[in-house]
Amino acid sequence: MSVPQLLHYTLDPTSRLVRLMCAEYGKDIELVHLKAWRREQDFLDVNPAGEVPVLHVDDQLTLVGASAVIYFIEEQFGAEPLLLPKEPVLRAETRRLTDWALGKFSDDVSRYIVEEKFIKNDRPGGTPDTTVLRAARANLSEHLAYFNYVLATRPWLAGGEMTLADFALAAQISTLDYLSEMPWDSVAEVKAWYQRLKSRPAFRPLLLDRVVGMPASANYADLDF
Amino acid sequence: MSVPQLLHYTLDPTSRLVRLMCAEYGKDIELVHLKAWRREQDFLDVNPAGEVPVLHVDDQLTLVGASAVIYFIEEQFGAEPLLLPKEPVLRAETRRLTDWALGKFSDDVSRYIVEEKFIKNDRPGGTPDTTVLRAARANLSEHLAYFNYVLATRPWLAGGEMTLADFALAAQISTLDYLSEMPWDSVAEVKAWYQRLKSRPAFRPLLLDRVVGMPASANYADLDF
């Protein structure tokens, strides 16, 4: 069987989730870097939504969009303990919080920060809009306060076990951390939880990522920040 | 086994998808109408995101958020032919387009139209913002042009069979149709597809919905519009 190809860009949080899942399940994938935001026609022909991740599994199967990619990996490459647990309460809670990370958190926080601090950098004369950044940071504080509260009551986001929800949020946070946007001092529970995740072997490749001309935050790869 | 309770409001597109799925699978649910947008504390305690659908399955299990509810129904109440097919290409395409309907289409179009034309009606002195409505309508035209193109090449959204993607988009469209926002004359393929869906028994309860003080569009319940 051929190695699947992942179209991604380094700081795309959802692509990072895909990479984390594959690493956790020991599934090799080939990374193909794509400046998806340029919306070039070749890529729009593959995904009219113009977004990564896209996973070319083989000649017969190309997966487009976050859910298609993530749940394919879970179903086809997953091994015990599964990231999407079978027990109904934990499964529902995993879905609720995975959706939150991929949807609400992304829509309120990370897509603005990625757009202003990373994507605009690729455009001649592009400079971050400080009003947008300020709003995204205010939203970030609210989201983190909620997750900090959840993690004060449970070891992992969805309950007693590490699940897809942990990976989904950690992928988002890893991008923000790269861009020096994580207010670690004000969210002790989130910090302790992220330290545990960061120490997993699956996380290592992400911590080695670097973007040309855009250094990572000082503690980005530090396991004991 | 007790009858699950669905917290919803009449014109919420995702709650409509839940109702369609349960009707298609012959699963009885009890509807509990909730003005979720008022974000009352009792409800925020159940769902900090302040959104419906929420499904109380029993004392042990409350499902919160679109994915948790929808995929629980699929997995627990689903019967052949399943709305999320097993065949990998169709399964991936179903997920891509279901996500599109619940995510992109909702974010670009329906949530603005529902907010301006329906939710604001619940607020003293609330009047629709015509600038927002104009932008949402322009987005709607673009989305419909894409779906019209897809439906010119296939009988159903994801391919040769009716799937969850059809229900997810039809649920969105049914809300817009109620609010007289569907430009039927310009999207012949979408119209023919929607007519087929609308004729299914599972659709009937939705077509009987009425909102007090807000009549449905003239052809809302008409099967041959």
Side-chain angles (χ1 to χ4, degrees), chain B:
Chain B
M1 200 173 161
S2 57
V3 175
Q5 277 193 335
L6 178 69
L7 305 190
H8 83 126
Y9 59 89
T10 315
L11 292 185
D12 176 52
T14 311
S15 300
R16 293 186 146 229
L17 169 58
V18 174
R19 294 168 62 196
L20 283 173
M21 291 181 77
C22 288
E24 186 73 18
Y25 285 144
K27 178 72 189 174
D28 283 334
I29 50 171
E30 185 188 337
L31 298 179
V32 179
H33 195 274
L34 182 83
K35 295 183 175 182
W37 59 88
R38 292 187 179 177
R39 301 179 67 83
E40 285 164 5
Q41 194 55 49
D42 285 2
F43 180 52
L44 291 181
D45 290 343
V46 174
N47 183 9
E51 289 162 4
V52 289
V54 167
L55 190 72
H56 284 301
V57 178
D58 56 35
D59 289 350
Q60 267 71 54
L61 187 59
T62 296
L63 304 165
V64 171
S67 287
V69 175
I70 288 163
Y71 294 106
F72 178 86
I73 292 169
E74 179 65 17
E75 291 166 2
Q76 300 298 319
F77 307 150
E80 295 286 347
L82 289 167
L83 288 166
L84 182 61
K86 300 280 184 204
E87 192 278 313
V89 174
L90 194 58
R91 190 174 179 86
E93 194 65 350
T94 299
R95 283 199 167 120
R96 176 176 80 89
L97 292 162
T98 300
D99 258 28
W100 188 315
L102 294 176
K104 222 171 150 52
F105 187 87
S106 171
D107 290 346
D108 289 353
V109 182
S110 59
R111 74 185 169 103
Y112 291 114
I113 290 178
V114 169
E115 169 76 23
E116 297 302 324
K117 293 188 73 167
F118 173 68
I119 294 176
K120 277 197 175 172
N121 207 44
D122 183 52
R123 295 186 183 133
T127 47
D129 182 329
T130 53
T131 314
V132 172
L133 279 178
R134 207 176 302 125
R137 285 170 188 149
N139 291 341
L140 174 61
S141 296
E142 285 191 38
H143 282 265
L144 289 177
Y146 175 66
F147 291 122
N148 207 56
Y149 156 79
V150 170
L151 288 166
T153 66
R154 310 166 169 175
W156 299 99
L157 265 188
E161 295 168 28
M162 186 187 77
T163 69
L164 185 59
D166 297 294
F167 275 31
L169 184 64
Q172 296 277 333
I173 284 180
S174 73
T175 290
L176 301 181
D177 191 34
Y178 189 99
L179 296 168
S180 311
E181 290 290 339
M182 278 300 296
W184 290 118
D185 292 344
S186 59
V187 284
E189 306 291 346
V190 173
K191 182 175 177 177
W193 161 87
Y194 190 66
Q195 276 174 328
R196 276 183 287 143
L197 283 167
K198 216 174 162 178
S199 305
R200 300 185 76 79
F203 239 83
R204 209 164 303 147
L206 262 59
L207 302 182
L208 298 174
D209 276 349
R210 290 297 178 273
V211 178
V212 177
M214 189 174 286
S217 64
N219 298 315
Y220 175 69
D222 189 350
L223 296 183
D224 191 27
F225 56 110

Side-chain angles (χ1 to χ4, degrees), chain A residues 16-145:
Chain A
R16 294 186 145 227
L17 170 58
V18 173
R19 294 167 64 196
L20 283 174
M21 290 181 77
C22 288
E24 185 74 17
Y25 285 145
K27 177 72 190 175
D28 282 335
I29 50 172
E30 186 188 336
L31 297 179
V32 180
H33 195 273
L34 182 84
K35 296 183 175 181
W37 60 88
R38 291 187 179 177
R39 301 179 67 84
E40 284 164 5
Q41 194 56 49
D42 286 2
F43 180 53
L44 291 181
D45 291 343
V46 174
N47 183 9
E51 288 162 4
V52 289
V54 167
L55 191 72
H56 284 301
V57 178
D58 56 34
D59 289 351
Q60 267 72 54
L61 186 59
T62 296
L63 303 165
V64 172
S67 286
V69 174
I70 287 163
Y71 294 106
F72 178 86
I73 291 169
E74 179 65 17
E75 291 166 4
Q76 299 297 320
F77 306 151
E80 296 284 346
L82 289 166
L83 288 166
L84 182 61
K86 299 280 184 205
E87 191 278 312
V89 174
L90 194 58
R91 190 174 179 87
E93 195 64 350
T94 299
R95 283 197 167 122
R96 176 176 80 88
L97 292 161
T98 300
D99 257 31
W100 188 316
L102 294 175
K104 222 171 150 53
F105 187 87
S106 171
D107 291 345
D108 289 353
V109 181
S110 59
R111 74 185 170 101
Y112 292 113
I113 290 177
V114 169
E115 169 75 24
E116 297 303 324
K117 293 189 76 167
F118 174 68
I119 294 177
K120 277 197 173 170
N121 207 43
D122 183 53
R123 294 185 184 133
T127 46
D129 183 328
T130 51
T131 314
V132 172
L133 279 177
R134 206 174 304 125
R137 285 170 189 149
N139 291 342
L140 175 60
S141 296
E142 286 192 36
H143 283 264
L144 289 177

